[in-house]
Amino acid sequence: MTLVGKILSGAIAFTAGLSQNQTNGNSILGTLRAPALSVSRVDPRVSSTDPILGLPDTNRTVSYVFNVTRGVLSPDGYQQSMILVNGAFPGPLIEANWGDWISVTVNNQIEGEGTSIHWHGLLQRETPWYDGVPGGQQCPIAPGTSLTYKFRADMWGTSWYHSHYSAQYTQGLIGPIVIHGLNHVLYDIDLGPVLVTDMFHADYKNLVDAVTGTSPAGWFTFSDNNLINGKMFFDCALVTDGTPCTSNAGLSEFRFTPGKTHRLRVINGGSAGLQHFSIDNHLMTVIANDFIPIEPYQAKVLTIGVGQRTDILVTADQDPTSSYWMRSNISTCGLPHQPDSLAVISYGSANTTGAANVTKKPSSVAWPFTDDTQCNNDPLKDTTPVFPMPVKTPTTPIYLGVNASVDDTGHLLWTMNDRAFKNDDSNPILLLANDKNANYTYNPDWNVYDIGSNSTVRLIVQNEQSVALKVSHPFHLHGHYFQVLHEGDGTWDGTTIINAGNPQRRDTQMLRPGGHVVLQFEADNPGVWPFHCHIAWHVPRGLYINLLERPEDIPRLRIPDSVKDTCRPRSSTQNCKPIERYGGVE
């Protein structure tokens, strides 16, 4: 019997067996104590405001302090070591207004391990040194040291932050970001972030060692579970190593107010799993993908790749005396041992209070859905940005062939144009490019693509592996959003563009097995911007390039000493192992 079958049948008790502190530490996500967020009025300027050119100056800074530590939690009942922000998994919400400055002081209190944090989807147009990538813009934040990131909330909508050090975020170093801005739709209540994440019980370093090793048995990593806002049950009968485990750890709960329309901000903060998200008996209205507001459309099931976000509206129009399942299911492309996650939606007034643990089990039935194993996003024709941007003629096209091979030493490598990326986190490329007096050449292993002063760049990304392997890739571009001109099976015909007058825009896009995706962006942001697969194991094996953008402007950047200081020599107690061997941990 499946895990969900055991929950529904009563084979696993429904009442939570662990406290919130035991499962998620200091986090309140997934409980009724999580506050609703503020709701903005509809602003007609949204359809005529370029999010870059229209960026306001609010003259306000919101500040956070992140203490990064190891701790022991049981998000799904299986007790394990995790990496936490302020003792919480998921980490605390960053909330700001469009145009604010966001200041985050990251104190690395992990023994013997570096760290860094990337602010996913934010453009960093004024602060390209705070993108948070070791080897790209900084060295790792060494143990016992700190770095304050300060950057603008230069987009509005929903996103997340995560460690960009090896596959460290797999072990818990993630959290949501909400930036309030121009609103184009009416709704009543903002219930905030809904993080869906695949779950791995092993330490991330052991997982990376396996995927970067020579044993084919370790090259493909299966997740152990699937979580919504950091919570789910687990079948502890599967545990054979004596690890403490409680099957009915607890589920996340959300409360709908009858007759009201609710905004939910769904974030795939996982490591590998493409997710199919739904709410029983309730239609969802999609209003944004990543940071891009879109013309609303309805859906019963959403497909959300790793790193992607989808904002939805849901009206509480069902029987208020019943409760309903929220579901997120990992596609077979994501290699799950246990693919299903559940949370509970109950109805009540806006002023209703209740315990954080769910007591009423829903009896609702899932929408009919079949995983077609295409491993791609919802159709491009469904997604029309509210602010229109027509397609320009590119000044440079770049073909990127995605493949895999086994090298002479027996390691599996993921390659782009037949080369696997190998990181050197002690020589950040941005700092080298900024040094006016430096005499350097880029190591070919860094996969640097110098796009010079080209103004419009088109990336033609081709999955050269066989469709039969069912390997898909969520590709993310730092420092930009891009237009998605086309995606599909086989190769692009070189001319067809879907909705050329205003194609979908986002910062992360699925590349289907054996298929292609055509992306285009304006190269107007001097810096070093990674373009990589967001599957945590594919970066350590090389599926990553660096786009060197407007290199003639980079020496003029005034990079703070605090960023450069991340690379200075440390005492023996502050040293962290370098990221070696195609991005993996030594």
Side-chain angles (χ1 to χ4, degrees), residues 55 60-62 64 66 94 96-97 99-106 117-132 148-155 160-161 177 179 291:
L55 181 66
R60 189 180 85 130
T61 299
V62 294
Y64 296 85
F66 282 5
I94 289 177
N97 294 325
D100 286 351
W101 286 90
I102 299 172
S103 174
V104 186
T105 297
V106 178
I117 295 184
H118 169 58
W119 322 94
H120 190 104
L122 291 171
L123 305 181
Q124 302 289 355
R125 292 177 61 85
E126 298 164 273
T127 52
W129 47 84
Y130 285 142
D131 192 45
T148 297
Y149 297 88
K150 188 175 182 181
F151 49 88
R152 282 259 248 165
D154 51 18
M155 300 289 285
W160 61 306
Y161 59 84
I177 298 173
I179 299 175
F291 271 133

Side-chain angles (χ1 to χ4, degrees), residues 550-561:
R550 296 193 172 276
E552 71 281 2
D553 294 333
I554 292 177
R556 291 193 286 272
L557 297 177
R558 301 179 65 179
I559 299 178
D561 289 341

Side-chain angles (χ1 to χ4, degrees), residues 128-139 428-431 528-530 563:
W129 47 84
Y130 285 142
D131 192 45
V133 181
Q137 302 95 14
Q138 65 170 89
C139 291
I429 299 168
L430 182 67
L431 299 190
V528 175
W529 304 116
V563 176

Side-chain angles (χ1 to χ4, degrees), residues 368-390:
F369 177 76
T370 301
D371 185 353
D372 62 10
T373 70
Q374 289 288 321
C375 311
N376 60 316
N377 283 124
D378 296 333
L380 291 178
K381 64 179 179 59
D382 292 342
T383 52
T384 303
V386 173
F387 176 73
M389 288 187 181

Side-chain angles (χ1 to χ4, degrees), residues 354-494:
N357 292 335
V358 180
T359 57
K360 183 177 181 180
K361 182 163 63 177
S363 58
S364 59
V365 177
W367 292 108
F369 177 76
T370 301
D371 185 353
D372 62 10
T373 70
Q374 289 288 321
C375 311
N376 60 316
N377 283 124
D378 296 333
L380 291 178
K381 64 179 179 59
D382 292 342
T383 52
T384 303
V386 173
F387 176 73
M389 288 187 181
V391 176
K392 295 182 180 180
T393 300
T395 55
T396 183
I398 299 175
Y399 176 86
L400 297 170
V402 175
N403 216 323
S405 63
V406 179
D407 69 8
D408 294 339
T409 64
H411 293 86
L412 175 67
L413 306 179
W414 286 99
T415 61
M416 297 180 77
N417 291 348
D418 300 319
R419 182 176 290 279
F421 166 75
K422 185 176 182 180
N423 196 29
D424 180 358
D425 65 10
S426 64
N427 284 296
I429 299 168
L430 182 67
L431 299 190
L432 292 175
N434 177 250
D435 188 346
K436 303 178 183 64
N437 301 313
N439 182 18
Y440 64 87
T441 56
Y442 297 118
N443 187 322
D445 286 338
W446 299 349
N447 276 6
V448 176
Y449 285 67
D450 186 343
I451 58 177
S453 59
N454 284 287
S455 59
T456 305
V457 178
R458 180 171 294 179
L459 304 177
I460 304 164
V461 189
Q462 180 69 46
N463 192 338
E464 296 178 345
Q465 287 193 295
S466 167
V467 177
L469 294 176
K470 292 185 173 61
V471 178
S472 61
H473 304 278
F475 270 98
H476 172 55
L477 176 61
H478 293 225
H480 295 277
Y481 53 77
F482 46 67
Q483 295 174 306
V484 186
L485 307 189
H486 200 271
E487 79 85 30
D489 294 323
T491 58
W492 182 46
D493 63 13

Side-chain angles (χ1 to χ4, degrees), residues 8 30 42 206 232 250 253 279 312 336 360 411 442 466 574 585:
L8 298 180
V42 172
N206 295 334
M232 181 52 182
E253 184 175 12
I279 299 175
I312 59 173
K360 183 177 181 180
H411 293 86
Y442 297 118
S466 167
Q574 293 177 323
V585 172

